[in-house]
Amino acid sequence: QVQLQESGPGLVKPSETLSLTCTVSGGSISSYYWSWIRQSPGKGLEWIGSMSYRGSTNYNPSLKSRVTMSEDTSKNQFSLKLTSVTAADTAVYYCARFHLFQTSKWFDPWGQGTLVTVSS
Amino acid sequence: DIQMTQSPSSLSVSVGDRVTITCRASQSISSFLNWYQQKPGKAPTLLIYAASNMQSGVPSRFSGSGSATDFTLTISSLQPEDFATYYCQQSYSPPYTFGQGTKLEIK
C-alpha cells in the first residue's frame, strides 16, 4: 500500500523559502495525483495544491503567487516550495495522494505531517 | 471559495451513543463531499468519500449521507477509539476546502 513521508527543515526564517519533500513508497508517483495540505490552529486544514506526475498543477489562489510543486520521478518524490514565508505560514504540513475516481476526488493516504515553524 | 460549516464544533458523548455530525456547504456541491477522522498528533484518515461511500477498512458503524448543501456523518454506536475530531471536505471545485472540525469528547 502507498505510504508517504514528509521531510524538510522544521524552522524557517521570515521572508525565506520553505522547502519540503514527500517520499512515496509502495507505489509509483507516476500513477497518481499528489497534494500538499497544511494545518494550523488559526486556519484549520488548508489545501495548498495538487499536481499530477505529468507536472500539471493546481494551486490554492490564496497561495498561488508563492507556491511551486514539482516531482522527481527518479526518486519517487514530490516537493513543495513556498516563498516569502511569514509567521502565518507556521503549520503542520501534510503530503497526501489525491485520489481521483470517475469525477470524485479525495485525499488518501496522508503522510504523518511535519511541523514547520517560521521564526527568526 | 466554497465555505464548509460543521455543527456542532464539539460534542460530549458516551460510549454506545449514536452521534450525528452535520456539514453544510455554502453552495451546492452535489455529492462531492468527504469525511476524515483525526486523532491527536496524527494525520487525518479518510472515512467516507463521495458523501456515502465507506473507505475500505472503516467500521460499518460509520455512515454518510446527503447531497447538494447538507450532509451528515453518523456513528451508530460510539466506540472508545472513535473519540477524535472529524472534518468534512468538498471536492466539487478548487480550492478544496474543509470544515472547521467537530471534536468528540468523553462525557
Side-chain angles (χ1 to χ4, degrees):
Chain A
Q1 66 188 43
V2 171
Q3 293 183 306
L4 299 90
Q5 176 70 59
E6 305 88 351
S7 59
L11 181 64
V12 181
K13 291 182 168 56
S15 80
E16 295 190 344
T17 296
L18 178 160
S19 296
L20 295 175
T21 297
C22 183
T23 301
V24 178
S25 58
S28 170
I29 68 165
S30 299
S31 301
Y32 301 102
Y33 284 67
W34 307 96
S35 293
W36 288 96
I37 298 155
R38 69 182 183 180
Q39 185 173 31
S40 61
K43 295 196 73 176
L45 286 161
E46 181 179 29
W47 172 73
I48 299 171
S50 297
M51 65 172 292
S52 76
Y53 68 92
R54 295 189 185 93
S56 66
T57 55
N58 193 355
Y59 301 138
N60 192 321
S62 68
L63 299 168
K64 187 174 183 177
S65 64
R66 299 193 291 131
V67 170
T68 303
M69 293 178 61
S70 60
E71 83 282 6
D72 185 337
T73 54
S74 67
K75 295 181 179 178
N76 221 36
Q77 296 175 333
F78 61 101
S79 65
L80 169 71
K81 291 189 186 301
L82 181 66
T83 62
S84 305
V85 297
T86 70
D89 295 309
T90 294
V92 175
Y93 285 75
Y94 297 100
C95 57
R97 183 175 62 180
F98 189 39
H99 196 99
L100 280 67
F101 177 70
Q102 299 178 344
T103 55
S104 294
K105 314 173 190 70
W106 56 87
F107 302 110
D108 178 68
W110 299 50
Q112 67 182 29
T114 187
L115 173 63
V116 178
T117 301
V118 179
S119 175
S120 56
Chain B
D1 298 6
I2 298 174
Q3 306 303 315
M4 307 301 295
T5 303
Q6 288 181 234
S7 60
S9 295
S10 64
L11 197 54
S12 292
V13 291
S14 301
V15 172
D17 284 354
R18 180 181 180 88
V19 174
T20 299
I21 299 169
T22 297
C23 178
R24 176 163 288 175
S26 60
Q27 67 180 72
S28 176
I29 57 170
S30 184
S31 296
F32 296 106
L33 189 283
N34 308 312
W35 289 98
Y36 301 86
Q37 177 192 67
Q38 186 177 33
K39 295 182 178 179
K42 301 293 187 181
T45 59
L46 179 70
L47 293 175
I48 303 283
Y49 63 91
S52 60
N53 296 274
M54 201 157 48
Q55 171 69 337
S56 174
V58 173
S60 59
R61 61 182 179 273
F62 290 91
S63 63
S65 64
S67 65
T69 61
D70 294 307
F71 302 87
T72 58
L73 174 69
T74 300
I75 310 172
S76 61
S77 178
L78 199 71
Q79 297 302 298
E81 60 268 31
D82 300 337
F83 288 95
T85 301
Y86 294 84
Y87 294 93
C88 61
Q89 174 251 324
Q90 64 84 14
S91 59
Y92 179 77
S93 68
Y96 304 112
T97 48
F98 293 82
Q100 82 281 12
T102 296
K103 185 176 182 179
L104 299 188
E105 299 171 317
I106 300 174
K107 184 182 288 184

